Amino acid sequence: MKIFDIINMLENWAPRSLQESYDNAGLLTGDPEAECPAALFCLDITQKVLEEALENHCNLIISHHPLLFKPLKSFAENTFVNRLLIFAIKNNLAIYAIHTNLDNVLTGVNKAFAEKINLSSEGRRILDPKKNQIGKLSTYVPTDHFIGVQQALFKVGAGHIGLYDNCSFYTQGTGTFRPMEGTNPFIGTKNGPMETVEEMKLEVAFPMWLQSRMLKALEEAHPYETVAYEILLTQNSHQDVGSGLIGKLSLEIAETDFLSDLKKIFHLSVIKTSPLLNKKLQTVALCGGAGSFLIPEAIRQGADVFITSDLKYHDYFEADGKILLIDIGHYESEVATIELMGDYISSKFPNFAVLKTKVITNPVQYFT
């Protein structure tokens, strides 16, 4: 097993192209070609996490938060990040971050958060789906080769819409062309007459991060020497990609009971909230990490409560008597991601050694 095998599997799950513009996901240190006997999964990189990796013979650390987030001007400065990067490099520790790209997939960070609070999987959906993530491919295939090309595109993930796969549209028509000097035509003769061929126009939707893989499959399956195709970016939102989640609890619950449950689930000594509304809660919106930007969308979609972290003073005014805002802490809202990542790789590589950090990396403490 090589490091890039693990990385490729993670990026099939949460493509790096889905990270936000400010983020720095990916391989931060290490050789992707190196053999990898074991990997350690964590939320943050600290000195204790690096030492834990060495003690357990892990040369790859998969972290949710990137250690290297801001540009470095010098490795000579004695800063927290520099010290850890130098230690990792000296000890041949590869560090890979899977951050906002994992936040932005339906089966990512927020799924783990939702399952911790027993949010029903039925009807659970992305709170704020992303646009500009779905393309449409149109291509022209001779009738006898239509099924082969169609199936090749489906195999790499094209034609998947919501909970449906193998989705396409096709029409029959007639294509014309004339092979010129320098060609090696599949149909017709070089410098011969214009050819007329019965063709099918095939159209499929696809997520934009699959474009290069899809075009490679198209060219390999298509019989023509030069394949004609066009790609359009659609305005549809991708319902499996975006920020936050919204869903329902199986039963209504009183606000104080819900808050008590959160304290037990996340081992909290304190929870920050907007003023209680004295009403039952059932529709829950959530966002692991800092999610204040989603408050208006949670209100618009009728959530009774929005759980997130890093809310600022003025954010609480946005509740405006319409929703209960709950801040449980950044670490607490994302700690289940460690289990999520480790279990995902274990399911894909059953014989690979997966370790989940025992270090509590939460830098925020409470005096109670």
Side-chain angles (χ1 to χ4, degrees):
M1 181 80 68
K2 294 190 175 182
I3 287 174
F4 71 73
D5 294 318
I6 307 298
I7 291 174
N8 287 344
M9 191 58 68
L10 289 169
E11 293 187 357
N12 283 338
W13 178 25
R16 202 143 45 104
S17 61
L18 293 181
Q19 70 176 314
E20 300 296 336
S21 58
Y22 59 81
D23 200 8
N24 191 34
L27 188 64
L28 305 182
T29 68
D31 177 7
E33 296 286 341
E35 292 293 330
C36 185
L40 177 68
F41 290 80
C42 63
L43 198 64
D44 310 284
I45 302 292
T46 67
Q47 183 65 37
K48 288 184 178 180
V49 169
L50 296 177
E51 291 169 358
E52 182 183 27
L54 288 176
E55 289 168 5
N56 289 280
H57 310 290
C58 299
N59 66 338
L60 172 63
I61 302 174
I62 310 292
S63 174
H64 179 49
H65 295 137
L67 174 61
L68 185 57
F69 200 75
K70 299 177 182 178
L72 291 180
K73 294 183 178 180
S74 168
F75 274 96
E77 297 177 24
N78 185 24
T79 65
F80 173 78
V81 172
N82 282 16
R83 288 198 306 274
L84 298 187
L85 285 173
I86 291 169
F87 184 92
I89 292 168
K90 282 183 176 179
N91 288 279
N92 295 316
L93 289 173
I95 297 175
Y96 181 85
I98 180 168
H99 190 209
T100 53
N101 46 329
L102 190 57
D103 290 332
N104 281 331
V105 294
L106 183 62
T107 56
V109 172
N110 291 311
K111 175 195 174 187
F113 189 175
E115 291 182 348
K116 286 280 283 187
I117 65 169
N118 295 316
L119 198 64
S120 174
S121 59
E122 185 177 350
R124 190 195 302 167
R125 65 186 188 278
I126 295 285
L127 179 61
D128 187 21
K130 283 187 177 294
K131 293 184 177 180
N132 301 322
Q133 297 296 327
I134 301 176
K136 185 183 78 168
L137 168 75
S138 299
T139 190
Y140 308 86
V141 190
T143 303
D144 291 345
H145 290 77
F146 173 76
I147 296 298
V149 172
Q150 182 195 50
Q151 294 303 312
L153 296 175
F154 289 161
K155 187 175 181 179
V156 295
H160 192 109
I161 301 176
L163 297 178
Y164 297 84
D165 63 9
N166 291 6
C167 301
S168 70
F169 182 82
Y170 58 86
T171 52
Q172 192 163 14
T174 303
T176 66
F177 58 87
R178 186 171 73 87
M180 299 175 69
E181 188 66 37
T183 60
N184 180 26
F186 175 72
I187 296 173
T189 56
K190 183 170 54 178
N191 291 324
M194 183 179 77
E195 298 291 335
T196 301
V197 183
E198 291 303 307
E199 293 181 326
M200 307 289 282
K201 181 180 181 181
L202 172 63
E203 298 176 280
V204 291
F206 66 94
M208 291 302 294
W209 60 85
L210 284 181
Q211 180 170 317
S212 60
R213 191 186 310 175
M214 183 190 64
L215 291 179
K216 181 180 179 182
L218 173 64
E219 291 175 356
E220 289 176 351
H222 204 291
Y224 287 174
E225 181 180 27
T226 302
V227 182
Y229 65 88
E230 59 184 338
I231 290 176
L232 299 176
L233 182 63
T234 74
Q235 294 300 305
N236 302 68
S237 297
H238 197 306
Q239 298 303 309
D240 291 343
V241 172
S243 303
L245 281 183
I246 187 168
K248 289 184 178 291
L249 301 169
S250 57
L251 297 171
E252 290 185 332
I253 185 171
E255 290 169 313
T256 52
D257 291 338
F258 187 64
L259 290 167
S260 295
D261 287 346
L262 291 179
K263 287 185 71 175
K264 292 175 186 175
I265 291 168
F266 295 100
H267 309 291
L268 302 171
S269 58
V270 63
I271 298 180
K272 293 164 64 177
T273 78
S274 61
L276 300 186
L277 302 175
N278 298 315
K279 57 179 280 189
K280 298 280 189 177
L281 307 177
Q282 187 167 28
T283 302
V284 179
L286 58 84
C287 179
S292 61
F293 66 100
L294 290 170
I295 295 173
E297 189 61 27
I299 293 172
R300 189 187 72 81
Q301 295 196 34
D304 299 315
V305 56
F306 178 47
I307 317 169
T308 187
S309 71
D310 300 350
L311 294 179
K312 296 180 180 179
Y313 177 81
H314 291 285
D315 293 330
Y316 290 93
F317 286 110
E318 292 190 48
D320 195 25
K322 300 171 184 175
I323 195 170
L324 177 64
L325 301 179
I326 298 178
D327 185 334
I328 66 169
H330 199 118
Y331 176 88
E332 289 82 359
S333 72
E334 294 186 325
V335 68
T337 305
I338 300 170
E339 197 80 16
L340 178 77
M341 296 186 297
D343 289 350
Y344 176 80
I345 289 300
S346 289
S347 71
K348 300 299 181 182
F349 303 109
N351 297 320
F352 179 69
V354 166
L355 287 87
K356 300 160 188 173
T357 185
K358 296 179 180 178
V359 178
I360 297 174
T361 59
N362 191 356
V364 181
Q365 303 295 309
Y366 299 96
F367 180 78
T368 58

